[in-house]
Amino acid sequence: MDLNLLTLFTAVAECGNFRAAADRLGVTRSAVSQGVQRLEETLEQPLFRRTTRSVRLTEEGERLLQAVSNPLAEINAALESAQSATGAPHGLLRVTATSIAERFLSGPLITSFVEAYPGITFDVTVNDEEFDIVAAGYDAGVRLGEVIERDMVAVPLTGEQRQVAVATPGYLERHGVPRRPRDLAEHRCIGWRPAFDTAPYRWEFERDGRAFDMAVEPQVTTNDMLVMLRTSLAGGGITFGIEETFQPYIERGELVTLLDDWLPPFTGFYLYFPSRRSVTPKLRALIEHVRKYRDIGPQA
């Protein structure tokens, strides 16, 4: 049997879609479809239930995926290690990061990494939804430590982080300064939501060891941190997010932090990846670069 068919099969199973699997593998959709059909004919078993809207594994397909996914990952890692044994790491490295991971996305870390490893093609997808990075075909992800699943290996990217509420001095002169979270009900707030069909993010506070959150009913809501930032800088109201995102504007006096006593620090950002898979040379290179960058800073 052509073992390459197993690679096609696992890609379709993980993506849940023939076209997405084809995009991941860099082949045509018809090549994937025909390959899976050949595998089904060889095994004399249907592996997928196909409809016009979805592709789902049959019971036989589930058993096959469970049996081959980890061995295939180990084989691919071993082959990549062998190819890199006499040279620098190379290949496509896919990473997903949350939009608030400023240290990772701001530019210097990525720039210094690709300069150090010219053989690696670095693909970064910004996504705030929680999902299985293995099933989606990513090598690693960047998220706050508190939301990373326990079966992942997590490498610290930053120290502790803090969320802040900010507004311009001009807005505060016109509308006053909130002294406690409940005062936000009297203010124009700029909120964030991960998707159009989800409720706005509830602003989180803590006082005297008691944590609580508030639905501030923002007048402006968006899924883009840059829109939040620009609207607040224009005097549009109070917004809320990771302090690192607003730091340059705070230092220049363009934004002022609010309710600081109600906003303690918490666990920061991590680079994370599956513990059940071998670490490829390209991923190992990123892990070591992140560690160096964290120790030395933006000059790394």
Side-chain angles (χ1 to χ4, degrees):
M1 185 179 70
D2 183 356
L3 295 182
N4 288 322
L5 299 181
L6 293 176
T7 300
L8 298 179
F9 163 73
T10 55
V12 175
E14 291 175 350
C15 294
N17 182 286
F18 280 88
R19 186 175 299 281
D23 291 341
R24 181 200 292 189
L25 298 172
V27 298
T28 64
R29 183 185 182 282
S30 61
V32 173
S33 180
Q34 292 170 14
V36 169
Q37 184 176 353
R38 284 172 53 201
L39 181 60
E40 289 178 322
E41 291 172 350
T42 301
L43 298 176
E44 297 182 349
Q45 295 282 359
L47 301 175
F48 294 100
R49 295 187 184 91
R50 302 164 176 81
T51 69
T52 55
R53 295 186 178 182
S54 66
V55 176
R56 295 185 179 181
L57 286 166
T58 62
E59 186 176 344
E60 294 79 8
E62 291 279 5
R63 284 200 295 267
L64 180 61
L65 180 65
Q66 186 175 4
V68 305
S69 57
N70 285 344
L72 282 177
E74 296 286 346
I75 291 170
N76 288 332
L79 289 173
E80 188 171 322
S81 295
Q83 289 174 333
S84 300
T86 57
H90 64 279
L92 175 63
L93 182 63
R94 301 184 68 224
V95 177
T96 179
T98 177
S99 64
I100 58 175
E102 181 69 17
R103 181 75 61 87
F104 184 77
L105 297 173
S106 59
L109 186 152
I110 294 174
T111 299
S112 56
F113 178 71
V114 296
E115 286 178 347
Y117 299 98
I120 295 177
T121 301
F122 201 31
D123 185 303
V124 179
T125 300
V126 179
N127 191 330
D128 289 309
E129 297 181 12
E130 295 184 22
F131 62 94
D132 185 342
I133 62 170
V134 176
Y138 289 97
D139 296 284
V142 177
R143 290 284 188 277
L144 287 170
E146 61 190 30
V147 299
I148 296 174
E149 296 179 356
R150 293 184 178 181
D151 64 342
M152 295 286 173
V153 178
V155 177
L157 174 63
T158 70
E160 288 187 325
Q161 296 288 301
R162 192 169 78 98
Q163 294 205 95
V164 293
V166 296
T168 61
Y171 172 86
L172 297 174
E173 287 176 7
R174 297 191 304 273
H175 300 279
V177 179
R179 301 299 178 185
R180 52 186 59 81
R182 67 170 180 251
D183 295 343
L184 293 169
E186 307 300 323
H187 284 268
R188 182 183 303 124
C189 294
I190 304 161
W192 177 84
R193 53 173 171 72
F196 77 93
D197 56 351
T198 57
Y201 172 75
R202 296 172 66 93
W203 294 11
E204 299 177 77
F205 299 94
E206 184 177 325
R207 191 66 179 267
D208 299 327
R210 184 177 69 89
F212 61 96
D213 56 50
M214 290 185 57
V216 297
E217 299 183 3
Q219 185 174 1
V220 177
T221 308
T222 177
N223 67 337
D224 190 329
M225 179 60 69
L226 190 57
V227 173
M228 295 168 60
L229 173 62
R230 288 173 172 170
T231 304
S232 188
L233 284 169
I238 300 172
T239 195
F240 191 84
I242 296 294
E243 186 174 24
E244 209 169 57
T245 302
F246 305 121
Q247 194 62 45
Y249 308 95
I250 295 170
E251 292 174 354
R252 293 196 295 265
E254 297 175 48
L255 292 173
V256 177
T257 61
L258 310 165
L259 304 169
D260 288 328
D261 291 342
W262 302 77
L263 294 164
F266 53 84
T267 303
F269 291 95
Y270 289 76
L271 174 76
Y272 68 99
F273 51 92
S275 60
R276 60 183 181 276
R277 290 192 174 184
S278 295
V279 177
T280 61
K282 61 190 178 186
L283 179 55
R284 187 177 300 111
L286 179 61
I287 293 167
E288 293 305 317
H289 190 80
V290 162
R291 286 173 173 155
K292 177 182 176 183
Y293 190 88
R294 181 173 185 253
D295 292 340
I296 299 176
Q299 292 77 29

